[in-house]
Amino acid sequence: KNEVEQSPQNLTAQEGEFITINCSYSVGISALHWLQQHPGGGIVSLFMLSSGKKKHGRLIATINIQEKHSSLHITASHPRDSAVYICAVTGNQFYFGTGTSLTVIP
Amino acid sequence: DAEITQSPRHKITETGRQVTLACHQTWNHNNMFWYRQDLGHGLRLIHYSYGVHDTNKGEVSDGYSVSRSNTEDLPLTLESAASSQTSVYFCASSPGRGAFFGQGTRLTVV
């Protein structure tokens, strides 16, 4: 049983498309994180959420605490957005989803 | 600027050898974590520490150990490397909320 489930596992989009990645979790949390892992392997933290919505450039992250669900949206997707996106939650420890591999085609 | 660094970035070792992966952070965070990343499994927690002299086992701790003698460092030791431990290893530190990740160490056990 995974404490954090992401969907889809793989996603291919045309440049310019609006993209949504979903994350559901089953544990009590204090915060939810969206991480981005580039093909080179480095991981960067995109957002940390405990409620509501955050926006950074073309990226938007939302969380619904009651439904235990979060979404990451990418508007006007670009090939440089191609990466693995990982949802993680902080409860007693970090729990990670297996990631969504996004490929944006020019 | 504060940062978290892992070394080495790449390592090839033989089965049965002891290997230590270094993780050093300059934020003075109390919380530090080691993960391994394998295809199909995402990131899995190996060990974690909430402060000096505190260490805890994670989901996949067998065959690994850590020690925390100061705030900045959490070295990960493979006591007797096995081929199943071929993986990419990530270290992270956290002030309590949010996390910062190292660039990862790719370990191959042959």
Side-chain angles (χ1 to χ4, degrees):
Chain A
K1 172 182 174 294
N2 292 328
E3 290 83 0
V4 180
E5 299 278 357
Q6 281 184 240
S7 64
Q9 285 191 313
N10 299 285
L11 182 57
T12 301
Q14 292 288 332
E15 184 173 356
E17 283 186 8
F18 181 85
I19 290 164
T20 296
I21 301 171
N22 295 301
C23 175
S24 297
Y25 55 92
S26 58
V27 294
I29 70 169
S30 58
L32 182 142
H33 309 259
W34 281 102
L35 311 171
Q36 181 190 54
Q37 184 176 28
H38 284 284
I43 298 176
V44 296
S45 179
L46 297 174
F47 295 104
M48 186 185 72
L49 296 161
S50 54
S51 65
K53 174 179 166 178
K54 286 190 176 181
K55 183 175 188 292
H56 180 72
R58 295 179 294 105
L59 302 177
I60 303 167
T62 64
I63 187 169
N64 185 316
I65 297 294
Q66 287 72 31
E67 295 184 5
K68 294 189 173 181
H69 181 269
S70 176
S71 293
L72 176 68
H73 306 286
I74 305 174
T75 62
S77 59
H78 189 276
R80 65 174 174 266
D81 297 326
S82 298
V84 175
Y85 292 84
I86 303 169
C87 175
V89 298
T90 310
N92 294 328
Q93 57 182 294
F94 274 99
Y95 298 96
F96 291 85
T98 53
T100 296
S101 179
L102 171 65
T103 302
V104 181
I105 300 171
Chain B
D1 285 345
E3 60 181 4
I4 181 167
T5 55
Q6 291 182 231
S7 61
R9 293 294 310 278
H10 302 272
K11 174 80 175 176
I12 300 174
T13 191
E14 294 178 342
T15 302
R17 289 193 180 268
Q18 183 181 79
V19 176
T20 297
L21 309 182
C23 177
H24 178 80
Q25 52 100 359
T26 59
W27 285 291
N28 209 36
H29 292 162
N30 283 325
N31 305 334
M32 295 184 73
F33 307 84
W34 273 105
Y35 301 92
R36 60 179 288 174
Q37 185 180 36
D38 304 288
L39 199 62
H41 289 280
L43 285 161
R44 291 184 292 175
L45 183 65
I46 305 171
H47 281 285
Y48 58 102
S49 168
Y50 288 149
V52 176
H53 302 311
D54 175 73
T55 61
N56 306 280
K57 293 182 178 181
E59 177 187 358
V60 290
S61 60
D62 288 348
Y64 304 94
S65 64
V66 292
S67 61
R68 189 88 180 271
S69 59
N70 58 55
T71 303
E72 295 80 15
D73 299 289
L74 187 69
L76 177 71
T77 297
L78 287 67
E79 302 294 342
S80 177
S83 57
S84 61
Q85 295 176 307
T86 293
S87 187
V88 180
Y89 292 84
F90 286 95
C91 177
S93 74
S94 169
R97 298 185 68 184
F100 300 86
F101 287 83
Q103 286 294 95
T105 295
R106 186 174 295 277
L107 177 67
T108 303
V109 183
V110 298

